[in-house]
Short mmCIF file of all heavy atoms in Angstrom, two decimals:
data_model
loop_
_atom_site.label_atom_id
_atom_site.label_comp_id
_atom_site.label_asym_id
_atom_site.label_seq_id
_atom_site.Cartn_x
_atom_site.Cartn_y
_atom_site.Cartn_z
N ALA C 339 -5.99 -197.48 186.84
CA ALA C 339 -5.05 -197.49 187.98
C ALA C 339 -3.62 -197.38 187.47
O ALA C 339 -2.80 -196.64 188.04
CB ALA C 339 -5.24 -198.76 188.80
N ASN C 340 -3.30 -198.08 186.38
CA ASN C 340 -1.96 -197.99 185.81
C ASN C 340 -1.68 -196.59 185.29
O ASN C 340 -0.59 -196.05 185.46
CB ASN C 340 -1.78 -198.99 184.67
CG ASN C 340 -1.76 -200.41 185.19
OD1 ASN C 340 -1.47 -200.65 186.37
ND2 ASN C 340 -2.10 -201.36 184.35
N GLN C 341 -2.68 -196.02 184.65
CA GLN C 341 -2.51 -194.66 184.12
C GLN C 341 -2.24 -193.65 185.22
O GLN C 341 -1.52 -192.68 185.00
CB GLN C 341 -3.75 -194.25 183.32
CG GLN C 341 -3.79 -194.85 181.92
CD GLN C 341 -5.13 -194.62 181.26
OE1 GLN C 341 -6.14 -195.16 181.70
NE2 GLN C 341 -5.16 -193.81 180.23
N LEU C 342 -2.81 -193.88 186.41
CA LEU C 342 -2.56 -192.96 187.52
C LEU C 342 -1.08 -192.93 187.86
O LEU C 342 -0.56 -191.93 188.35
CB LEU C 342 -3.35 -193.36 188.77
CG LEU C 342 -4.86 -193.26 188.73
CD1 LEU C 342 -5.46 -193.54 190.11
CD2 LEU C 342 -5.31 -191.88 188.26
N GLU C 343 -0.42 -194.05 187.60
CA GLU C 343 1.02 -194.11 187.91
C GLU C 343 1.87 -193.52 186.80
O GLU C 343 2.95 -193.00 187.04
CB GLU C 343 1.43 -195.56 188.17
CG GLU C 343 0.80 -196.11 189.43
CD GLU C 343 1.31 -197.49 189.78
OE1 GLU C 343 2.52 -197.74 189.57
OE2 GLU C 343 0.50 -198.31 190.26
N THR C 344 1.38 -193.61 185.56
CA THR C 344 2.23 -193.16 184.44
C THR C 344 1.96 -191.72 184.02
O THR C 344 2.85 -191.04 183.53
CB THR C 344 2.04 -194.08 183.21
OG1 THR C 344 0.63 -194.17 182.94
CG2 THR C 344 2.58 -195.47 183.47
N GLU C 345 0.74 -191.25 184.22
CA GLU C 345 0.44 -189.85 183.83
C GLU C 345 0.95 -188.89 184.90
O GLU C 345 0.80 -189.15 186.09
CB GLU C 345 -1.06 -189.65 183.65
CG GLU C 345 -1.52 -190.18 182.34
CD GLU C 345 -2.80 -189.52 181.87
OE1 GLU C 345 -3.13 -188.41 182.33
OE2 GLU C 345 -3.46 -190.14 181.03
N THR C 346 1.50 -187.79 184.43
CA THR C 346 2.09 -186.85 185.40
C THR C 346 1.62 -185.42 185.16
O THR C 346 1.20 -185.07 184.06
CB THR C 346 3.63 -186.85 185.28
OG1 THR C 346 3.98 -186.53 183.92
CG2 THR C 346 4.23 -188.20 185.63
N ILE C 347 1.69 -184.65 186.22
CA ILE C 347 1.55 -183.19 186.10
C ILE C 347 2.83 -182.61 186.69
O ILE C 347 3.19 -182.92 187.82
CB ILE C 347 0.32 -182.66 186.88
CG1 ILE C 347 -0.98 -183.27 186.35
CG2 ILE C 347 0.27 -181.13 186.81
CD1 ILE C 347 -2.24 -182.81 187.08
N SER C 348 3.52 -181.82 185.92
CA SER C 348 4.83 -181.26 186.32
C SER C 348 5.74 -182.35 186.90
O SER C 348 6.39 -182.14 187.93
CB SER C 348 4.67 -180.15 187.36
OG SER C 348 3.74 -179.20 186.95
N GLY C 349 5.74 -183.50 186.26
CA GLY C 349 6.66 -184.56 186.66
C GLY C 349 6.18 -185.42 187.82
O GLY C 349 6.84 -186.39 188.19
N ILE C 350 5.05 -185.09 188.39
CA ILE C 350 4.54 -185.89 189.51
C ILE C 350 3.35 -186.72 189.04
O ILE C 350 2.43 -186.19 188.39
CB ILE C 350 4.11 -184.99 190.70
CG1 ILE C 350 5.26 -184.04 191.06
CG2 ILE C 350 3.70 -185.81 191.91
CD1 ILE C 350 4.93 -183.06 192.14
N SER C 351 3.37 -188.00 189.36
CA SER C 351 2.29 -188.87 188.87
C SER C 351 0.99 -188.51 189.59
O SER C 351 0.98 -188.03 190.72
CB SER C 351 2.63 -190.33 189.10
OG SER C 351 2.48 -190.66 190.47
N LEU C 352 -0.13 -188.81 188.91
CA LEU C 352 -1.44 -188.52 189.50
C LEU C 352 -1.57 -189.25 190.83
O LEU C 352 -2.10 -188.73 191.81
CB LEU C 352 -2.58 -188.94 188.55
CG LEU C 352 -2.62 -188.30 187.17
CD1 LEU C 352 -3.93 -188.63 186.46
CD2 LEU C 352 -2.44 -186.80 187.22
N LYS C 353 -1.03 -190.48 190.86
CA LYS C 353 -1.12 -191.27 192.07
C LYS C 353 -0.42 -190.54 193.24
O LYS C 353 -0.96 -190.43 194.34
CB LYS C 353 -0.47 -192.64 191.83
CG LYS C 353 -0.65 -193.59 192.98
CD LYS C 353 -0.24 -194.99 192.62
CE LYS C 353 -0.37 -195.88 193.85
NZ LYS C 353 0.70 -196.87 193.93
N GLU C 354 0.77 -190.04 192.94
CA GLU C 354 1.52 -189.32 193.98
C GLU C 354 0.80 -188.04 194.41
O GLU C 354 0.79 -187.70 195.60
CB GLU C 354 2.89 -188.92 193.41
CG GLU C 354 4.05 -189.69 193.99
CD GLU C 354 5.35 -189.17 193.38
OE1 GLU C 354 5.53 -189.42 192.15
OE2 GLU C 354 6.14 -188.53 194.10
N ILE C 355 0.20 -187.39 193.44
CA ILE C 355 -0.54 -186.15 193.76
C ILE C 355 -1.65 -186.48 194.76
O ILE C 355 -1.82 -185.78 195.77
CB ILE C 355 -1.13 -185.52 192.48
CG1 ILE C 355 -0.01 -185.00 191.59
CG2 ILE C 355 -2.13 -184.40 192.82
CD1 ILE C 355 -0.44 -184.58 190.20
N PHE C 356 -2.36 -187.58 194.48
CA PHE C 356 -3.46 -187.95 195.37
C PHE C 356 -2.93 -188.38 196.75
O PHE C 356 -3.48 -187.99 197.78
CB PHE C 356 -4.31 -189.08 194.75
CG PHE C 356 -5.03 -188.66 193.50
CD1 PHE C 356 -5.07 -189.47 192.37
CD2 PHE C 356 -5.69 -187.44 193.43
CE1 PHE C 356 -5.73 -189.09 191.22
CE2 PHE C 356 -6.36 -187.04 192.28
CZ PHE C 356 -6.38 -187.86 191.17
N GLU C 357 -1.86 -189.16 196.73
CA GLU C 357 -1.30 -189.62 198.01
C GLU C 357 -0.82 -188.44 198.85
O GLU C 357 -1.11 -188.36 200.05
CB GLU C 357 -0.14 -190.58 197.75
CG GLU C 357 -0.62 -192.01 197.49
CD GLU C 357 0.48 -192.92 196.94
OE1 GLU C 357 1.60 -192.43 196.68
OE2 GLU C 357 0.19 -194.11 196.75
N LYS C 358 -0.12 -187.54 198.20
CA LYS C 358 0.44 -186.38 198.92
C LYS C 358 -0.66 -185.49 199.49
O LYS C 358 -0.48 -184.83 200.51
CB LYS C 358 1.33 -185.56 197.99
CG LYS C 358 2.71 -186.18 197.80
CD LYS C 358 3.70 -185.14 197.35
CE LYS C 358 5.08 -185.77 197.26
NZ LYS C 358 5.74 -185.45 195.99
N SER C 359 -1.80 -185.47 198.79
CA SER C 359 -2.87 -184.60 199.30
C SER C 359 -3.69 -185.30 200.38
O SER C 359 -4.64 -184.72 200.91
CB SER C 359 -3.76 -184.13 198.16
OG SER C 359 -4.37 -185.24 197.56
N GLY C 360 -3.32 -186.55 200.69
CA GLY C 360 -3.98 -187.25 201.80
C GLY C 360 -5.15 -188.13 201.39
O GLY C 360 -5.90 -188.59 202.25
N CYS C 361 -5.31 -188.37 200.09
CA CYS C 361 -6.41 -189.25 199.64
C CYS C 361 -6.03 -190.70 199.89
O CYS C 361 -4.86 -191.07 199.92
CB CYS C 361 -6.65 -189.10 198.15
SG CYS C 361 -7.10 -187.46 197.62
N GLU C 362 -7.07 -191.52 200.04
CA GLU C 362 -6.85 -192.96 200.13
C GLU C 362 -7.16 -193.58 198.77
O GLU C 362 -8.25 -193.36 198.23
CB GLU C 362 -7.75 -193.55 201.21
CG GLU C 362 -7.36 -194.97 201.53
CD GLU C 362 -8.06 -195.50 202.77
OE1 GLU C 362 -8.42 -194.69 203.65
OE2 GLU C 362 -8.24 -196.72 202.84
N ILE C 363 -6.18 -194.31 198.23
CA ILE C 363 -6.39 -194.90 196.90
C ILE C 363 -6.76 -196.37 197.05
O ILE C 363 -6.06 -197.13 197.71
CB ILE C 363 -5.13 -194.75 196.03
CG1 ILE C 363 -4.75 -193.26 195.95
CG2 ILE C 363 -5.35 -195.33 194.63
CD1 ILE C 363 -3.52 -192.96 195.12
#
Side-chain angles (χ1 to χ4, degrees):
Chain C
N340 291 338
Q341 282 170 293
L342 293 187
E343 293 186 37
T344 52
E345 281 204 22
T346 57
I347 299 179
S348 309
I350 307 176
S351 75
L352 301 190
K353 187 169 177 217
E354 251 182 291
I355 292 170
F356 295 136
E357 277 168 356
K358 282 201 176 132
S359 62
C361 300
E362 191 169 333
I363 304 180

